[in-house]
Amino acid sequence: MTISRWWIRLVSWDGLLPLAVWYIPQCIEIFFPGRRGAIEIASLVVPVMAVLIRYYTGMELIRNNHCSKRFRIVQKLIFCIGILMLVMVDCVLILMHVMPKNPNGGNSDDLTLILIFFGFYLIIMGVAMYPGRQLQPAFRT
C-alpha cells in the first residue's frame, strides 16, 4: 500500500464518516423541523451505527495489514480508544442542536475544541490504520 492510498483511506473513513454523522442533525432539522425527539433519537442511534461500521472495517484493515503481531495489538488498542472518543463527541455534537444556544452568540470556543479534538483523533487513527510495509521482491536482471 502506498502512502497516498493510506492517506485517502484515512481521510475517507476517519474524515468523511464523522462529518456525515455530524451533518445528520441538520438533515433532520430540514426534514422534521421542530422535532426535538428525532434529533435526540439520532444522537443515540447514529453514533452507534457509525461505530459499528467503523469498528468492523477498522479491525478488518488491521487484521490484513503488514505490521508485526505486537504492533497490531497496539493498533487495536489505539483504534478502540479512538472510536470510543469519537462516539462520545458524535453524541455531543448531535445533541448540540437541541441544547440551549450561547446567550452571547459566540461558540468559537466550542468549534476550536472540536477542531483540536478532531485533529488529535486523525493522528490516533493514522497510527491505528498504518498498513505496514510490504517487502517487494528484489529486482533481478
Side-chain angles (χ1 to χ4, degrees):
M1 168 159 303
T2 63
I3 296 295
S4 61
R5 284 188 62 204
W6 173 40
W7 176 250
I8 290 170
R9 188 172 64 189
L10 179 70
V11 169
S12 63
W13 279 108
D14 298 308
L16 298 179
L17 181 64
L19 290 177
V21 170
W22 299 342
Y23 184 69
I24 286 175
Q26 279 120 8
C27 293
I28 292 173
E29 287 179 347
I30 291 169
F31 294 113
F32 304 105
R35 302 284 241 181
R36 180 180 169 145
I39 292 177
E40 290 170 346
I41 290 171
S43 71
L44 295 172
V45 174
V46 172
V48 170
M49 294 299 292
V51 162
L52 291 175
I53 292 168
R54 184 67 190 103
Y55 181 81
Y56 175 76
T57 57
M59 285 300 188
E60 192 65 28
L61 291 172
I62 291 171
R63 187 174 11 262
N64 294 323
N65 70 19
H66 299 286
C67 296
S68 68
K69 289 183 181 182
R70 283 186 180 171
F71 191 66
R72 284 183 193 168
I73 292 169
V74 172
Q75 284 179 307
K76 288 177 184 179
L77 177 65
I78 292 171
F79 176 69
C80 289
I81 291 169
I83 61 173
L84 190 79
M85 291 170 32
L86 186 64
V87 76
M88 288 187 276
V89 170
D90 285 345
C91 293
V92 169
L93 287 173
I94 291 173
L95 283 174
M96 283 176 68
H97 289 275
V98 294
M99 289 188 226
K101 303 295 182 215
N102 186 349
N104 299 332
N107 62 354
S108 62
D109 292 340
D110 294 340
L111 182 60
T112 303
L113 185 63
I114 290 167
L115 289 176
I116 289 171
F117 173 81
F118 194 60
F120 182 67
Y121 167 78
L122 285 176
I123 291 169
I124 286 175
M125 285 306 190
V127 172
M129 294 293 105
Y130 178 68
R133 292 181 175 224
Q134 184 176 9
L135 297 176
Q136 299 294 329
F139 181 73
R140 295 182 186 202
T141 57

